[in-house]
Amino acid sequence: MKIGLFFGSFNPIHVGHLIVANVMATTTDLDQVWFIVSPQNPFKKNKSLLHEFDRLDMVEKAIQDNPLFRVSNIEFSMPKPSYTIDTLIRLQEKHPNYEFKLIIGGDNLAQFPNWKNADKILEYFGLYVYPRPNSEPSDLEKHPNVQLVKAPSLDISATFIRDCIKNGQPIRYMVPEEVEEYIQRKKFYL
């Protein structure tokens, strides 16, 4: 099986994430997309980050009806901050018969050489890259282990959604209904 790994804080997961994952699972040679909930991104500050188990619950609610999607908490038991290469190696050890590919946005491609062991990720795993607004061009677009995937370019962010919640504005249609209900019930991001 060929698995696309979609890493993120998913704080909260939103329709942009789901649309990209669905395009990856249905228009490429990937058999499934796994959402890897990251406890802490080494490049992001931690101030408005919900607890990792709450974010995992939201992803589970968002993907429960799609057999092409799975969610993983593999990084929860790893040293923090977790680095993608370490997670990839751990997953490969756990699932030696699976082939893993890393899904990233075009906005991350230009910065990708700064990632820990970026050359090893490219060599042993490879990248599936979806378009993002304001992405800088990258020489990596021509790399043989980089596949550019056509997908809608959605300028929706978890930050925007959190700001809407703080300001008492609706988030309907930006997150799945189950996620919206969960956020309201738990009073997240207020």
Side-chain angles (χ1 to χ4, degrees):
M1 276 226 306
K2 192 180 279 191
I3 309 295
L5 300 175
F6 197 179
F7 285 73
S9 52
F10 303 113
N11 188 38
I13 188 167
H14 55 68
V15 294
H17 298 129
L18 296 167
I19 290 168
V20 165
N22 194 58
V23 166
M24 291 291 175
T26 59
T27 69
T28 69
D29 59 349
L30 296 174
D31 297 301
Q32 285 185 338
V33 171
W34 292 4
F35 292 79
I36 310 296
V37 179
S38 301
Q40 182 185 341
N41 179 327
F43 295 110
K44 287 185 180 175
K45 292 285 179 259
N46 199 352
K47 61 182 189 306
S48 65
L49 198 61
L50 286 185
H51 192 280
E52 57 205 39
F53 287 109
D54 291 319
R55 292 181 287 117
L56 182 78
D57 285 347
M58 284 192 284
V59 174
E60 285 173 345
K61 288 176 186 321
I63 69 168
Q64 64 191 351
D65 63 347
N66 192 329
L68 299 176
F69 295 165
R70 278 185 50 191
V71 63
S72 171
N73 64 359
I74 191 159
E75 289 193 338
F76 292 12
S77 61
M78 295 175 66
K80 292 168 188 60
S82 46
Y83 292 93
T84 304
I85 185 65
D86 300 329
T87 309
L88 288 166
I89 290 167
R90 171 98 41 110
L91 281 166
Q92 196 67 78
E93 287 168 352
K94 257 184 103 160
H95 307 281
N97 298 326
Y98 288 5
E99 183 181 347
F100 292 104
K101 299 293 180 183
L102 181 60
I103 297 170
I104 67 169
D107 53 336
N108 284 316
L109 195 57
Q111 304 305 318
F112 186 75
N114 300 329
W115 291 25
K116 180 182 175 186
N117 298 112
D119 52 336
K120 299 281 185 251
I121 295 172
L122 273 173
E123 182 181 349
Y124 294 107
F125 299 97
L127 306 177
Y128 282 47
V129 182
Y130 61 92
R132 287 280 292 150
N134 307 315
S135 298
E136 296 173 32
S138 168
D139 293 340
L140 287 177
E141 291 173 16
K142 296 175 180 69
H143 192 284
N145 285 345
V146 172
Q147 183 174 332
L148 301 178
V149 178
K150 284 187 179 179
S153 181
L154 299 163
D155 195 8
I156 182 171
S157 72
T159 304
F160 180 82
I161 293 167
R162 291 192 306 271
D163 288 344
C164 285
I165 295 167
K166 277 185 209 134
N167 297 322
Q169 298 167 330
I171 58 169
R172 188 174 185 193
Y173 306 122
M174 289 188 271
V175 299
E177 205 172 307
E178 301 83 1
V179 173
E180 181 183 12
E181 288 167 3
Y182 187 72
I183 289 170
Q184 289 171 345
R185 191 171 75 249
K186 296 278 202 164
K187 298 181 173 30
F188 289 151
Y189 308 118
L190 293 173

